[in-house]
Amino acid sequence: MAYQNKPVHPEGGKSHSQQQAPIRRRRRLGAPPGVEVSLCTKYSMFFMNVLFWILGAAILGFGIWGLIAKNGGVIDAIAEEEQVKLDPMWMFVFVGSLIFTLAFFGCIGALRENTCMLKFFAYSVILIFLLEITAGVLGYVYQEKVVSILENYVNKTILSYYDDTDTQYIADEMHQGLECCGIYEPNDWQANM
């Protein structure tokens, strides 16, 4: 084998073609340098978010099933009664999608120690908590309106009890769960006789 004479670069001893470009590493968006994350905390948060991810998927699936399988019935009657132009099953789709997405960010953020995803997750949970407090306060302030809406719904349920099997099921479950009968007393069922 013959020795090949390769050109030598005047500054470094290597030709331009032999020099390697510096390796650029992607900056990791994890915990700041020098900060250790407890493995117990990390995996506890991961597994809790996996459970919420599964719950979100179930709620989302229920909402989609409700949109496809339930055409009319009690849900539309409630929406019509309260002048809601949107099928309430869309609420299940929205809430399921929200839980599914937030749990995904919490899962991946905890597993990869990604501070950006964890901040998004934390701020979103804080916002939802504040919205729940607001809804609770509004429900308390407008308590009479909420009670009025529920009374109207139960009254219409009593009147249409024999017309719809879904209404029968909901009324029976409500009365068994609350261990009561009618709006105020069992005599409320006289309106259906």
Side-chain angles (χ1 to χ4, degrees):
M1 175 151 65
Y3 176 74
Q4 292 181 348
N5 201 4
K6 294 185 180 179
V8 178
H9 194 272
E11 292 178 9
K14 293 183 180 179
S15 70
H16 184 65
S17 64
Q18 291 175 334
Q19 289 181 350
Q20 293 181 346
I23 298 173
R24 292 189 178 176
R25 294 183 186 231
R26 224 172 74 189
R27 184 172 171 257
R28 187 169 175 238
L29 295 175
V35 175
E36 294 274 333
V37 177
S38 166
L39 288 178
C40 181
T41 303
K42 176 180 176 176
Y43 287 108
S44 294
M45 187 169 175
F46 172 75
F47 287 117
M48 286 302 294
N49 278 299
V50 165
L51 292 176
F52 278 103
W53 185 72
I54 293 169
L55 176 71
I59 293 172
L60 177 62
F62 176 73
I64 292 171
W65 169 80
L67 288 173
I68 293 170
K70 295 284 183 185
N71 194 6
V74 174
I75 294 171
D76 288 340
I78 295 170
E80 184 179 313
E81 170 67 27
E82 298 308 317
Q83 288 85 31
V84 176
K85 302 298 181 201
L86 187 64
D87 188 348
M89 282 309 214
W90 283 105
M91 180 186 71
F92 286 103
V93 171
F94 175 73
V95 169
S97 299
L98 183 68
I99 293 172
F100 186 84
T101 304
L102 286 180
F104 172 78
F105 276 96
C107 260
I108 303 302
L111 190 63
R112 304 281 303 180
E113 297 175 20
N114 187 317
T115 55
C116 182
M117 290 178 111
L118 287 174
K119 284 180 183 178
F120 175 77
F121 173 75
Y123 293 143
S124 298
V125 169
I126 290 169
L127 177 68
I128 290 170
F129 180 68
L130 292 174
L131 290 173
E132 286 178 350
I133 290 174
T134 304
V137 168
L138 289 174
Y140 179 75
V141 169
Y142 296 106
Q143 186 174 4
E144 295 168 2
K145 175 77 173 163
V146 172
V147 169
S148 161
I149 290 171
L150 290 175
E151 285 176 354
N152 288 339
Y153 172 68
V154 173
N155 192 30
K156 287 196 178 211
T157 301
I158 289 172
L159 293 175
S160 65
Y161 181 79
Y162 294 110
D163 299 337
D164 185 14
T165 56
D166 288 338
T167 302
Q168 289 175 5
Y169 177 76
I170 288 174
D172 292 343
E173 289 295 316
M174 181 176 61
H175 291 311
Q176 287 174 1
L178 296 175
E179 296 178 0
C180 67
C181 189
I183 299 173
Y184 298 108
E185 58 185 357
N187 289 338
D188 294 335
W189 283 91
Q190 295 295 330
N192 191 331
M193 303 268 173

